[in-house]
């Protein structure tokens, strides 16, 4: 029957058309996501390189103690103020482009965001919390750009109540 054949053929073409339209819509959505990801995460390599500059500026500023800064002459103070302003501007520009600095002090240690460098015995802070930051960590969007290098509070050793069984035996009783 030629009419049934044409109807079947038309249905096949309609099915192919609908599948092609769905594929094109999926491609459009995937391309939009990829373009958005490229905009947000495309600067990751560049941002990692710039973080080294930010770290060096931070180290340079921390190398001078408060007393030395107070005793410095006006020219040196102006230089230090300029370096501090430059560091702040650098961090502002990074944040403008989606790179955020982590402030982990006081937070619970998270291996997805922090890298523990050492443990610190401290009875004033809760165990497993960050107490020192050696190197700042950064996020770009919702991805980790660089984990923070931190010092973590070590759990205090638990003291066992002493009992009669804990006493060591003397040589005269051990025979």
């Amino acid at each position: 029957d030629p009419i049934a054949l044409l109807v079947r053929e038309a249905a096949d073409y309609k099915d192919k058309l609908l599948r092609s339209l769905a594929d094109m819509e999926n491609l459009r959505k995937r391309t939009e996501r990829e373009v958005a990801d490229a905009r947000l995460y495309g600067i990751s390599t560049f941002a990692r390189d710039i973080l080294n500059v930010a770290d060096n500026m931070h180290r340079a500023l921390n190398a001078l103690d408060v007393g030395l800064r107070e005793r410095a002459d006006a020219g040196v103070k102006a230089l230090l103020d300029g370096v501090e302003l430059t560091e702040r501007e650098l961090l502002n520009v990074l944040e403008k482009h989606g790179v955020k600095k982590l402030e982990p002090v006081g937070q619970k240690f998270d291996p997805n965001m922090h890298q523990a460098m050492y443990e610190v015995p401290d009875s004033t802070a809760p165990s497993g919390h960050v107490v020192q930051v050696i190197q700042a960590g950064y996020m770009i969007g919702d991805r980790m750009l660089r984990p923070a290098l931190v010092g973590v509070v070590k759990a205090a050793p638990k003291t066992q109540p002493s009992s009669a069984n804990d006493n060591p035996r003397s040589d005269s009783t051990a025979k």
Side-chain angles (χ1 to χ4, degrees):
D1 184 21
I3 294 179
L5 182 64
L6 290 173
V7 168
R8 215 177 12 245
E9 194 175 312
D12 285 344
Y13 285 132
K14 182 179 180 182
D15 182 56
K16 287 179 182 178
L17 174 66
L18 292 175
R19 288 179 190 274
S20 294
L21 289 173
D23 286 345
M24 291 305 295
E25 182 64 20
N26 290 338
L27 178 64
R28 184 187 63 77
K29 288 178 182 177
R30 185 174 58 244
T31 303
E32 284 176 0
R33 277 193 311 268
E34 288 173 358
V35 166
D37 283 352
R39 279 191 189 120
L40 183 60
Y41 303 114
I43 64 164
S44 294
T45 303
F46 176 72
R48 273 189 207 95
D49 292 342
I50 290 297
L51 293 181
N52 293 329
V53 174
D55 291 339
N56 288 335
M57 291 182 81
H58 186 72
R59 282 188 210 90
L61 289 170
N62 287 340
L64 298 173
D65 63 356
V66 177
L68 187 59
R69 284 180 189 222
E70 291 174 355
R71 291 189 305 263
D73 64 6
V76 173
K77 284 183 181 181
L79 174 67
L80 291 174
D81 289 343
V83 173
E84 287 173 345
L85 287 171
T86 304
E87 180 189 32
R88 272 197 303 265
E89 181 64 22
L90 177 61
L91 294 175
N92 288 338
V93 168
L94 285 170
E95 193 164 328
K96 175 181 164 188
H97 291 282
V99 178
K100 294 181 182 107
K101 186 176 182 179
L102 300 176
E103 301 292 340
V105 173
Q107 295 178 356
K108 183 156 179 57
F109 176 77
D110 180 356
N112 297 316
M113 297 174 62
H114 312 129
Q115 183 175 343
M117 300 306 291
Y118 54 87
E119 292 183 318
V120 177
D122 187 351
S123 61
T124 61
S127 176
H129 281 67
V130 175
V131 289
Q132 290 178 324
V133 177
I134 300 152
Q135 184 180 53
Y138 292 86
M139 301 276 296
I140 184 166
D142 59 352
R143 295 182 188 170
M144 180 58 57
L145 186 61
R146 181 180 79 186
L149 304 181
V150 298
V152 181
V153 175
K154 180 180 179 179
K158 296 182 179 179
T159 57
Q160 299 279 333
S162 58
S163 66
N165 293 340
D166 289 343
N167 293 335
R169 293 190 286 172
S170 65
D171 286 342
S172 61
T173 59
K175 290 187 181 178

